Amino acid sequence: MCDACGCGLHSHGEAQSEEDRKNVEIMKNLLHENDHEAAHNRAHFDEHGVLAINLMSSPGSGKTALLEATIEALKDKYRIGVIEGDLETENDAARIRAKGVPAVQITTGTACHLDAVHVHKALHQLGYEDLDIVFIENVGNLVCPATFDLGQHASVALLSVTEGHDKPAKYPVMFHCVDLVLISKTDLLAFIDDFDPEYAKNCVKELSNDAAILEVSAKKPESLAGWIDWLEKMVEKNKKKA
C-alpha cells in the first residue's frame, strides 16, 4: 500500500507476498463498495434532475477560482451547490459561500481523494434536492481521484499552464477518463514560454480521449464562454433524463 498518500490505494509492483495479496483483495472490495455507493448518489441526482460535476486536478491549478468565476456567470440562471474536498481547512468552502452559494467542506485528513461515501454524507448537508448543478471539487491530486466514482455525471480535469504541458502524458489515467479538459490560468501564457497548449492537447488525444479541450482563465470571463456553454448543454441534457 502507498504509505505516502495514506489512502491504501496502491500496490507497487506485482503482489508477491500474502500481505500484498490481502491488500489487493481489500482494495477490490473497497472499490466495489465505493461503486455501489456512487450508484446510490447518482440515483439521488437523477431523481431530482441535478447535474453533478467532478472537478479534478493538481493542487493550485485554479479549481476554486474557476468555480468562483463560474458562479458569477451562472448564478442568475441556475441554482448551484459545491462540495469541497481538502485534507484540512474550510478555506475553499468559505470562498464559495462568499459568492452566495451553499458549500460543504469535506476534510479528509490523510486521504488524497474523495470517495462516494464522503459525497453521500455531504449531499444531505448541502440540500441538493433544490439545486440544478452540484460541483464536487476533489482533493488536489492527479492519481487517486481518477479511480473513485463519486456518482457524478461528468468529470473535468484542469491542467494549469504552470504545471507543464506534458502532464497528460505523465498522468494518463486521469486525462484518459475525463469528459472535458480545461487548460487553466491561460492569462499567464504571456509570461510562461515553455507551455505549449497544442502539445498538451496532443498528449490528451494520444490517450484515445476525444474529450473537448478548452483554454480558460478565471481572471478573464470572456475566456469561459466555451466552458459555460458546455455546462448549459449538460444541464439541459440532464434535465431531459429526469
Side-chain angles (χ1 to χ4, degrees):
M1 290 189 290
C2 183
D3 294 327
C5 70
C7 73
L9 176 60
H10 313 288
S11 177
H12 300 294
E14 296 295 324
Q16 296 177 343
S17 68
E18 183 63 25
E19 182 178 0
D20 287 335
R21 286 190 286 272
K22 287 180 179 178
N23 288 337
V24 169
E25 190 62 31
I26 289 170
M27 278 311 306
K28 287 181 179 178
N29 293 335
L30 176 62
L31 289 172
H32 177 76
E33 290 301 317
N34 182 81
D35 289 347
H36 176 77
E37 192 68 25
H40 186 55
N41 291 345
R42 195 172 290 108
H44 279 323
F45 290 129
D46 289 344
E47 180 182 0
H48 297 279
V50 181
L51 175 68
I53 303 291
N54 183 15
L55 291 176
M56 301 179 287
S57 75
S58 299
S61 67
K63 294 190 298 298
T64 309
L66 175 72
L67 284 177
E68 290 173 317
T70 302
I71 291 166
E72 286 294 326
L74 293 177
K75 64 183 180 182
D76 294 331
K77 186 172 184 177
Y78 298 122
R79 299 163 296 174
I80 299 171
V82 178
I83 296 171
E84 290 284 352
D86 280 301
L87 271 65
E88 296 293 345
T89 83
E90 287 225 353
N91 294 353
D92 289 350
R95 287 172 59 180
I96 297 301
R97 293 182 196 123
K99 293 292 182 180
V101 166
V104 174
Q105 181 75 54
I106 300 172
T107 53
T108 63
T110 59
C112 57
H113 59 88
L114 294 179
D115 61 31
V117 173
H118 286 137
V119 171
H120 185 260
K121 292 178 180 178
L123 282 178
H124 292 287
Q125 297 177 56
L126 189 64
Y128 70 96
E129 298 93 340
D130 297 322
L131 299 175
D132 298 305
I133 309 174
V134 170
F135 291 105
I136 305 166
E137 183 179 341
N138 220 311
V139 178
N141 184 345
L142 284 178
V143 183
C144 303
T147 306
F148 284 80
D149 185 5
L150 305 179
Q152 73 272 10
H153 295 106
S155 295
V156 178
L158 274 68
L159 170 63
S160 166
V161 301
T162 59
E163 296 178 64
H165 55 206
D166 60 348
K167 276 293 186 295
K170 290 182 175 181
Y171 296 88
V173 175
M174 172 65 71
F175 289 94
H176 174 71
C177 77
V178 295
D179 304 286
L180 178 68
V181 176
L182 299 178
I183 299 177
S184 61
K185 299 188 179 182
T186 55
D187 54 295
L188 297 178
L189 280 172
F191 309 100
I192 300 175
D193 60 6
D194 59 352
F195 186 97
D196 181 354
E198 294 307 313
Y199 184 95
K201 293 174 185 179
N202 287 333
C203 285
V204 175
K205 291 175 182 177
E206 287 175 1
L207 298 174
S208 298
N209 187 349
D210 59 358
I213 306 170
L214 304 175
E215 299 180 34
V216 299
S217 168
K219 293 186 176 182
K220 294 184 176 181
E222 66 276 11
S223 75
L224 302 180
W227 160 240
I228 297 301
D229 181 64
W230 184 86
L231 282 172
E232 290 177 331
K233 288 177 179 177
M234 290 292 292
V235 170
E236 298 311 313
K237 179 182 177 181
N238 192 60
K239 285 189 177 296
K240 288 179 181 178
K241 293 192 308 181

